[in-house]
Amino acid sequence: MSTLSRPVLSPVPGDVLYCDVDGTLVSDDNRLSSITSAEIHRFVEAGFGFSLATGRSYKSVERFLQELPITAPLVLCNGAYIYDPVSHSHVSTPIESQFVNAIVPVLLGIPGVWVYMDTSDRHMWVSHRESLTEPFVTDENLHPRVFSNIYDLSNRSQVLKIGVKITCDSESTKRQLQRVIGIITAHFARELHVCFSSDNYVELMAAGVSKWFGIQVSQSMKVRRDNRIFTIGDHFNDIEMISEADVGIAMANAVEEIKQAAMYSIGHVKNHAVAAFLKDCQQLSVSV
């Protein structure tokens, strides 16, 4: 469905867009293009609102904030941490430490997976070893890395999200992880929300936490709420915000479930689809 053929489904000044990051705003190279950044600036200057709704922690989006005009509190850690970069106020919904201590050692026991935990200011890979040298762990371009003992961490800090990265493509590893996730879901359904944020990432948050939950908190923190809420995403951790927003939009590279939940789709992340969409919105708002 074309955005230009359905004006009611395109944002107008006073509406806000919450945009996913990975697979939506940035591609595999983890870089925000100058084309997209420029269109977001023009979008906000024209009276639209813009913010991020991502599974990432604050530290891993901090560098983007120097390039983006944010008008609503950020939705981070899949909705577990909402942060206003202007007032520096925040709202956290952590996982209770007893569940962190019970679940993480089980996950660490699965061969071929790596576990990380997000707090409000850190993104940490957790390991039984004293040091980690895997490229995805030491790549400072993606996330700052801090290594910590799980029990010290969970007792001292609020863990907002537990993540699992599948590094082994073997079917046995995937089956074992699915079994563990099934057990976690069965035993902690009232305490935890489990979702896939990509084919190789599983993320756990406190029950009830999702990006849509975070968007509602973000709007409640504003002195004046935005008119309508638009969302763009591509993977399973976007499903609630795509289906519950006034208008949910899927990327062309989105999983099929997101496309089914969305009102319409736009282009592929590798073709600067968000930039093209924002440009169309501005042209449409002038012509109607």
Side-chain angles (χ1 to χ4, degrees):
M1 181 185 299
S2 168
T3 60
L4 295 179
S5 66
R6 295 291 299 274
V8 70
L9 297 182
S10 291
V12 297
D15 294 339
V16 64
L17 172 65
Y18 285 88
C19 189
D20 173 46
V21 175
D22 296 287
T24 301
L25 202 60
V26 302
S27 190
D28 295 338
D29 62 2
N30 195 42
R31 296 179 183 276
L32 179 66
S33 74
S34 58
I35 295 173
T36 301
S37 177
E39 285 301 335
I40 293 173
H41 276 274
R42 282 190 280 268
F43 184 72
V44 170
E45 289 167 2
F48 301 86
F50 182 84
S51 191
L52 302 178
T54 176
R56 293 190 182 207
S57 65
Y58 175 76
K59 283 295 183 182
S60 64
V61 301
E62 190 173 21
R63 63 188 180 86
F64 294 137
L65 302 184
Q66 300 174 5
E67 306 175 55
L68 295 175
I70 301 297
T71 67
L74 300 161
V75 177
L76 305 166
C77 298
N78 286 331
Y81 187 63
I82 316 304
Y83 177 73
D84 187 338
V86 177
S87 67
H88 303 294
S89 58
H90 63 88
V91 176
S92 301
T93 308
I95 302 171
E96 292 186 29
S97 61
Q98 60 180 317
F99 302 126
V100 176
N101 293 338
I103 291 168
V104 172
V106 176
L107 295 172
L108 286 172
I110 303 175
V113 305
W114 293 87
V115 180
Y116 61 89
M117 294 189 287
D118 285 340
T119 65
S120 61
D121 62 348
R122 292 182 179 181
H123 177 90
M124 289 155 285
W125 291 94
V126 183
S127 173
H128 294 306
R129 289 188 277 165
E130 293 183 359
S131 65
L132 302 177
T133 58
E134 284 68 17
F136 67 87
V137 173
T138 57
D139 180 8
E140 294 294 336
N141 291 325
L142 183 58
H143 295 297
R145 308 300 187 188
V146 179
F147 310 109
S148 176
N149 177 281
I150 171 182
Y151 300 107
D152 287 345
L153 173 64
S154 61
N155 289 330
R156 295 178 184 176
S157 305
Q158 291 187 327
V159 176
L160 302 171
K161 185 183 74 175
I162 300 170
V164 179
K165 178 179 174 64
I166 305 171
T167 60
C168 177
D169 288 331
S170 71
E171 288 302 316
S172 61
T173 293
K174 293 180 179 179
R175 284 196 300 270
Q176 189 172 0
L177 180 60
Q178 287 286 2
R179 285 197 297 270
V180 171
I181 295 301
I183 292 171
I184 291 173
T185 302
H187 288 82
F188 299 101
R190 295 183 178 181
E191 293 83 16
L192 295 173
H193 175 211
V194 182
C195 67
F196 278 81
S197 58
S198 76
D199 293 340
N200 291 329
Y201 279 89
V202 182
E203 297 177 327
L204 294 77
M205 292 76 63
V209 171
S210 68
K211 289 186 181 181
W212 178 244
F213 166 83
I215 288 171
Q216 292 176 296
V217 174
S218 171
Q219 286 291 299
S220 73
M221 294 169 67
K222 297 193 65 177
V223 174
R224 180 179 179 181
R225 289 174 178 251
D226 295 291
N227 293 336
R228 293 185 300 169
I229 296 173
F230 285 67
T231 57
I232 303 180
D234 73 309
H235 222 282
F236 291 112
N237 61 333
D238 299 318
I239 192 76
E240 292 90 355
M241 76 170 187
I242 294 295
S243 59
E244 296 293 338
D246 292 303
V247 178
I249 304 163
M251 299 293 291
N253 50 283
V255 296
E256 188 59 33
E257 288 82 352
I258 291 293
K259 293 178 181 178
Q260 291 295 325
M263 288 192 175
Y264 58 89
S265 297
I266 57 175
H268 198 285
V269 62
K270 293 183 179 179
N271 297 327
H272 309 293
V274 171
F277 169 72
L278 298 182
K279 185 175 183 178
D280 285 346
C281 292
Q282 295 170 75
Q283 292 175 344
L284 184 61
S285 70
V286 171
S287 63
V288 296

